[in-house]
Amino acid sequence: TIFSWPTALFNRPLFPTRQFDIYPVLWLIDEAPSAFPTLMHPTSAWPYGELLVRIDSYVLLYLSWINHNFFSSFTIASMLLWLGPVISAWAAEKCAHEGMGIARPWSILSGLFFAFSSISASAALEGHLYYLLNPWLPLLLKVLWESSEGRGGWKNGILAGCWFALSLFTSAYIGICAAFLVGWMGL
């Protein structure tokens, strides 16, 4: 919680970013339900409307659709900032401990270093909060590692496809990382 402490209060003046990239994230969380299911937002790019097919994060879009009428955009953004790294750290620790056989406390350190890195801090400060919810890469590595050792079987293939797709849907950059990971593990 030290990483994102002010957001635990869900208080707008304490939100630890002033970058302009947070505003499209908040807008998408608020306006995504009005673009369901056509991905066309009628009042954006007025008078024609705007297709949302080139948005930065489909995971953020799906969370916004699911969230419809439950939480404010600020609360969802705060929860991504607050819980995203925790979920990612859990996945990285699970990959290290269960997938690769690394003993604790070293697997816990790997989870913490993955989720609370300087890249995560930059994403948080610049407003790209959907980057912080990234358990998909460690989970993808886990199933690929297990498969390379002959563990898992066909279930790992299905999970690898799901984790790869969620990586790609989180952002194109995380999708590229997932493609490199699949290529590297394939070699």
Side-chain angles (χ1 to χ4, degrees):
T1 58
I2 293 171
F3 181 79
S4 59
W5 165 245
T7 59
L9 303 174
F10 299 110
N11 185 355
R12 270 185 212 270
L14 296 177
F15 201 66
T17 184
R18 296 292 180 251
Q19 298 293 326
F20 61 88
D21 289 334
I22 190 64
Y23 300 111
V25 169
L26 295 173
W27 177 86
L28 180 63
I29 294 169
D30 274 340
E31 298 298 325
S34 66
F36 180 78
T38 62
L39 287 178
M40 171 64 103
H41 191 273
T43 59
S44 182
W46 186 85
Y48 304 109
E50 179 179 16
L51 281 173
L52 299 180
V53 295
R54 295 184 302 166
I55 60 172
D56 288 343
S57 177
Y58 277 92
V59 168
L60 183 63
L61 178 70
Y62 301 149
L63 286 174
S64 302
W65 283 345
I66 292 168
N67 171 59
H68 184 58
N69 292 332
F70 292 113
F71 298 107
S72 71
S73 59
F74 179 76
T75 302
I76 291 297
S78 296
M79 287 171 36
L80 281 171
L81 186 62
W82 199 36
L83 298 175
V86 174
I87 294 167
S88 300
W90 166 82
E93 193 280 332
K94 183 177 177 105
C95 171
H97 184 68
E98 294 177 13
M100 298 178 171
I102 297 172
R104 291 188 173 112
W106 310 115
S107 63
I108 294 172
L109 283 176
S110 69
L112 293 173
F113 286 142
F114 173 77
F116 298 99
S117 67
S118 58
I119 294 172
S120 295
S122 293
L125 291 174
E126 291 183 9
H128 300 285
L129 304 179
Y130 45 88
Y131 280 99
L132 299 175
L133 181 64
N134 184 15
W136 328 121
L137 282 177
L139 292 173
L140 177 61
L141 178 59
K142 178 184 179 294
V143 297
L144 292 174
W145 194 277
E146 290 173 350
S147 296
S148 71
E149 293 183 341
R151 298 182 283 152
W154 62 272
K155 291 179 185 176
N156 275 14
I158 292 172
L159 285 173
C162 290
W163 303 142
F164 182 83
L166 284 166
S167 295
L168 186 59
F169 292 156
T170 298
S171 81
Y173 298 114
I174 293 175
I176 290 169
C177 292
F180 280 125
L181 182 60
V182 168
W184 174 70
M185 289 299 293
L187 290 175

